């Protein structure tokens, strides 16, 4: 990354929790930030907070990178509406949680010279909205990039550089298929499991007297945006169903060992889980 | 609690993570603390760290409360061996994770005047051993007490006072049966789920590139003491199997809704989980 990179103007579209977090961190890093939001009042708030420099669509022309923190439909309609306002060599990127075919839809809208490099920063936090945004969410996170065959190498490198500059520790590059399969396991399934734990028929008003760290941690994401996650689940449906079934098979293995009172098999199962957990966390993903 | 309570000498038997945490916090609160450990070197370490005042079994005589942070068998054999050294009106308590019948076994060993009030502080942390101990684990935690019909009211009150003094926010009192049923859901099941998530056939060395907060949090306790938890699972086996089945039923409900693409039902399921999570956390169990 050359020293000029730090001065690239960047636009952030959608100033919710994630967009606000991008804007904050990019401003801290010294980038001019153009921030737009469908509800203009939110953009005005971001301007007043000093985390964006401009909320004028005319300034989009300056932005060499445009980050979409919007739902997929919102991204497509924004591009259609504002195409003539974008920098002629703008590199667009997004943060959508499911990738299946979306990059092709965006590419179809773009003129020669522009490019769309799909991304998925694996970070976030509880809550929603600009007020909850926090530049620190990027620190040490994984920022997955999902390029398409037609993406130009230098554009991929540009988004990689940005991800590292934001503070992310790892920038793995994978196919959309591999991304969606991995996410079905590490993100969709965990939200399914957390909500299924809360909705067990064993839950009662008295449960709160018996909870320790494990129940608290495993149900943290059960306080969920129901509509958003329903749409994420359904757009990755086949892979998610497969992950639920694989998890259920793993659960059954342990259940059978417990039912049989097979001490040795239970210990082996738990120790393998511990080994995998330590291996997974080894790269500083703590 | 009267001001004298703060001066009661207290013994802690077993100076691992939990015992060490009791000793630290009790010392901070101004109690004289007698600490014993099967491996004497650990007790000597605790003495050198200044978190116990004495490691001489003769000083047990002073302790009006004796807290067992030992496995059940260790608790029984310690009592048999040291009975004559205990204060004649000592109130004994423990922290064992499963209660089923144990209080009766202890009571059978005790002379008139002594009493055993079973307890279960719902707190802890990763790791093991004295070096990991931390007095702050009690702050805001639930400290469940499981009295038996023969416990004297003032002894129950004494242990309640201690739990509050330690920093615990809530001291619910329940039967052993209710305790074991609740724990099967809130603690045994969560450890089963975390290890089953790690042991899914989908796990690979690449999983680490795709994890965010939800996968990290839901698998935190998968780095587990395999032998300890196998024994906890098996000593609460019937209730745990029931909890696995109830959880699986809840999971199936959501799976079927996803398979059917039933948007409304998925949203309702997720929103109910969110409502329950917020209700559960409402009492400041954050």
């Amino acid at each position: 990354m050359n020293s000029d990179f730090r001065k690239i103007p960047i636009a952030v579209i959608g100033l919710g929790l994630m967009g606000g977090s991008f804007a904050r961190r990019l401003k801290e890093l010294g980038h001019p930030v153009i921030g737009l939001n469908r509800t203009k009042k939110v953009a005005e708030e971001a301007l007043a907070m000093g985390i964006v420099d401009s909320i004028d669509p005319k300034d989009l022309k300056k932005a060499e990178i445009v980050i979409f923190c919007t739902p997929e439909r919102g991204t497509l309609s924004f591009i259609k509406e504002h195409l003539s306002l974008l920098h002629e060599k703008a590199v667009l990127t997004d943060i959508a949680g499911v990738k299946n075919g979306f990059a092709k839809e965006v590419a179809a809208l773009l003129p020669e010279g522009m490019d769309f490099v799909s991304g998925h920063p694996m970070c976030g936090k509880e809550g929603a909205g600009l007020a909850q945004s926090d530049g620190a969410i990027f620190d040490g996170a994984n920022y997955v990039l999902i390029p398409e065959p037609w993406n130009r190498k230098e554009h991929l490198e540009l988004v990689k550089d940005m991800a590292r500059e934001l503070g992310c520790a790892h920038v793995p590059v994978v196919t959309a298929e591999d991304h969606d399969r991995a996410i079905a396991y590490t993100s969709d399934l965990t939200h399914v499991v957390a909500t299924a734990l809360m909705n067990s028929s064993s839950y009662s008003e008295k449960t709160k007297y018996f909870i320790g760290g494990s129940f608290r941690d495993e149900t943290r994401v059960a306080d969920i945006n129901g509509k958003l996650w329903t749409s994420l689940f359904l757009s990755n449906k086949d892979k998610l169903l497969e992950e639920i079934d694989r998890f259920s098979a793993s659960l059954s293995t342990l259940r059978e060992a417990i039912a049989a009172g097979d001490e040795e098999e239970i210990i082996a199962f738990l120790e393998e889980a511990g080994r995998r957990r330590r291996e997974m966390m080894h790269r500083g993903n703590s």
Side-chain angles (χ1 to χ4, degrees), chain A:
Chain A
M1 180 187 335
N2 62 52
S3 61
D4 281 332
F5 179 73
R6 300 195 165 262
K7 294 173 193 156
I8 291 181
I10 297 181
V12 179
I13 315 303
L15 295 167
L17 191 154
M18 288 302 297
S21 301
F22 270 101
R24 278 178 197 275
R25 178 50 58 97
L26 290 168
K27 265 292 273 183
E28 283 164 23
L29 292 167
H31 290 275
V33 177
I34 300 106
L36 296 180
N37 197 77
R38 199 170 48 141
T39 310
K40 210 183 163 193
K41 197 164 157 283
V42 175
E44 284 163 355
E45 249 173 77
L47 189 64
M49 288 158 78
I51 64 172
V52 301
D53 299 286
S54 164
I55 59 171
D56 184 348
K58 287 197 205 86
D59 285 325
L60 280 174
K61 217 39 164 195
K62 301 172 189 164
E64 295 180 38
I65 300 179
V66 183
I67 306 165
F68 286 91
C69 302
T70 35
E72 298 191 352
R73 294 303 112 194
T75 299
L76 293 174
S77 64
F78 184 97
I79 293 172
K80 284 178 197 158
E81 206 175 308
H82 296 82
L83 197 56
S84 66
L85 295 179
L86 295 180
H87 188 291
E88 59 183 355
K89 290 185 174 173
V91 175
L92 283 52
T93 187
D94 73 336
I95 63 162
V98 182
K99 294 307 179 187
N100 187 20
F102 183 64
K104 197 176 257 178
E105 283 189 73
V106 176
L109 300 175
L110 302 181
E112 187 71 30
M114 288 192 201
D115 207 354
F116 175 74
V117 179
S118 192
H120 187 193
M122 302 296 300
C123 55
K125 61 192 275 256
E126 297 80 51
L130 180 63
Q132 293 298 307
S133 64
D134 178 0
I137 65 172
F138 298 104
D139 293 327
N142 292 312
Y143 198 121
V144 183
L145 295 181
I146 308 98
E148 297 293 338
W150 56 82
N151 285 147
R152 288 183 56 173
K153 195 173 172 305
E154 63 267 34
H155 296 160
L156 176 61
E157 292 303 320
L158 183 70
V159 183
K160 265 192 199 173
D161 285 348
M162 182 184 74
R164 290 208 192 88
E165 201 204 7
L166 283 164
C168 293
H170 311 290
V171 191
V173 173
V174 297
T175 65
E177 169 75 13
D178 285 349
H179 169 271
D180 290 356
R181 184 170 302 282
I183 290 310
Y185 174 43
T186 60
S187 178
D188 297 334
L189 177 64
T190 50
H191 287 76
V192 162
V193 164
T195 54
L197 270 171
M198 284 310 314
N199 282 355
S200 162
S201 60
S202 286
Y203 176 80
S204 81
E205 280 189 25
K206 287 184 183 165
T207 299
K208 60 189 167 200
Y209 298 118
F210 299 95
I211 60 172
S214 64
F215 201 85
R216 261 196 293 270
D217 283 1
E218 288 183 31
T219 60
R220 182 177 59 80
V221 297
D223 187 355
I224 200 169
N225 181 328
K227 277 179 194 152
L228 171 69
W229 280 92
T230 297
S231 109
L232 288 170
F233 289 168
L234 291 177
S235 59
N236 207 18
K237 178 174 147 178
D238 293 343
K239 293 186 174 68
L240 173 55
L241 291 175
E242 206 175 310
E243 290 307 326
I244 295 175
D245 294 342
R246 287 178 179 179
F247 167 69
S248 296
S250 172
L251 184 65
S252 286
T253 302
L254 180 52
R255 192 205 180 283
E256 292 318 308
I258 294 169
D262 188 338
E263 222 169 311
E264 240 175 79
E265 202 191 320
I266 305 170
I267 292 176
F269 188 97
L270 301 186
E271 287 181 348
E272 171 62 9
R275 190 196 65 71
R276 290 179 175 199
R277 179 89 189 1
R278 288 187 295 277
E279 172 185 84
M280 182 177 84
M281 301 306 280
H282 185 59
R283 275 170 71 259
N285 285 308
S286 63

